[in-house]
Amino acid sequence: MYRTHTCGELRLSNAGQTVTLAGWVQRTRDLGGMTFVDLRDRYGITQLTFNADSDATLRETARSLGREFVVHVTGIVTERQSKNANMPTGEVEIFCSELKVLNGAKTPPFTIEDETDGGDELRMKYRYLDLRRNPARKSLELRHRMAMEVRNYLSAQNFLEVETPVLIKSTPEGARDFVVPSRMNQGEFYALPQSPQTFKQLLMVAGIDRYFQIVKCFRDEDLRADRQPEFTQIDCEMAFVEREDILRAFEGMAKHLFKSILGKDFSGPFLRMSYDEAMRDYGCDKPDLRFGMKFVDLSDLAQGKGFKVFDDAELVVGINAEGCANWSRKQTDALIDYVKRPQVGATGIVYLKWTEEGLKSTVDKFYSADQLQQWAARFNMKQGDLLCIMAGEANRTRKALNELRLHLGDALGLRDPGTFKPLWVVDFPLLEKDGSSGRWHAMHHPFTSPLPEHAHLLESDPGAVKANAYDLVINGTEIGGGSIRIHDRAMQEAMFRVLGFTDEDARYKFGFLLDAFEYGAPPHGGAAFGFDRWVSLFGGRTDIRDFIAFPKNNAGRDVMIDAPSRIDEDQLKELGIGVMHRAP
Ligand code: ASP
């Protein structure tokens, strides 16, 4: 028997028992006559002791143990002389009578400690060592607990978990597809699902009524801290529902997760905001509501007074950084540098501060004291506050002010990871126009239905149509989203036309769905939630890779197994594929 107990299990009440443990050597300490070994497994650390009473060869073996050796020991649980209150097993040690090295280990390339010295890339290359560290293991445990809670909750609500295929046809979710060549049908390709969107809709046509799946999705797009080429969604669909039914169902799931995982109660309904409101008041469709700093439009007050930057602008808009009036010149200049970075792309910030000396702005010569007083009144400004005002083309200015708002939120410590502000954003535009091609794109995906009252405008005035879609936003992160779907062939065909598909194209790509809509498709809708993101939100960190067992780096590589990689000529030949640029 390899072990009678785990390394996290033994307490004072076990004293006197003979036990067998197995695990990894965390460290050994040789103190003259005594040798201590910390033995670690997933459950904890237990101290092993060897002293002058121990057999000489046994002590020699104990002394020779290196970090991460795998060992197997038998001994008696003994009360410790100097107890360690920081360890659950800290009251006992094992006085060992047998010690066997099951496997040696090279010195690990970084320390297997909570605070390791290993950089990201090195830890990803040796991810199996990284996962031995507590924080990494705890992340996987959190992920597991959340997955279990999701499954239990949805199952109790009659949702069926149904698996859908991975080798499919393109599902347009706005990214590039990963494709897989078919050997048996040369020249043809499968696409990996960007989501199971069409399959879950077909499950509704099939009468499944309530579906969910914790499922891998694949999108070939540029990567960031909260994006991976393969990621996991909690994917859901319901039949015979309206938007309210869906929001209620998944608000229930979210509340259940908050309660069961974090012990947080949300009594009232989640806040709701229309897309237009979110853009107007926060300059983005996923506002972080942990703090205020709502946008205030100053255009009418600020324009027409001879200050050219404001006069030429489509929009003059600002936020109130409360309590920042005494920021130094260096600090306010740093904010200007921040918004001038190409990622933000603004030209500058106009300040109005209210100190003991009264209101003072960087544009005093264009505005009278009374006029500045009116600005202050519009912001409900108090002494001690600092207004940050930006101007320019409306959308760009809002976008830049959003960046500034978030930056200030960080700088002022207003974005506490332990506070959660969930929000439904609703009534998105159905379509957006691509600046360069002038073509319409689905803002969500092409299966999203218009709000019923806008449906008649779909072909005549596409830009005016709002979608029956919703996003769940928590703390400025889009955690999920979905929509009521089109379930009528004619409307789906009209949508494809607006998106620029020829009828033939639409039939080639989505004939299966259009056909299904002719065999009794029920009204349906659903949503999908980014599981990796949700776990990282609850884990209080922003990099989703910390919560994925084997993540890819920012270049989309798995540096542990070294993928992607070349394949043999023979394999290529079999697939009927020629490669133009071979990797070295
Ligand atoms: N398939 C969508 C997505 O992946 C979610 C949905 O509409 O249910 O974003």
Side-chain angles (χ1 to χ4, degrees), residues 172-173 194-198 200-201 217 219 231 233-237 444-445 447-448 470-471 478 480-485 525-529:
E173 297 272 0
Q194 292 186 36
S195 87
Q197 184 60 37
T198 48
K200 64 177 175 176
Q201 292 192 240
C217 302
R219 297 184 191 177
F231 60 97
Q233 282 189 343
I234 308 168
D235 191 46
C236 311
E237 197 76 2
H444 197 54
H445 51 57
F447 316 108
T448 293
Y470 30 81
D471 273 0
E478 183 199 322
S483 60
I484 297 294
R485 324 298 184 188
F529 302 91

Side-chain angles (χ1 to χ4, degrees), residues 309-341:
V309 175
F310 283 1
D311 289 350
D312 292 349
E314 194 183 342
L315 176 73
V316 182
V317 62
I319 51 180
N320 183 1
E322 291 180 25
C324 297
N326 287 324
W327 274 25
S328 66
R329 177 71 190 269
K330 195 166 155 215
Q331 283 175 296
T332 53
D333 281 354
L335 288 184
I336 296 179
D337 290 342
Y338 178 81
V339 301
K340 281 186 167 170
R341 294 177 323 146

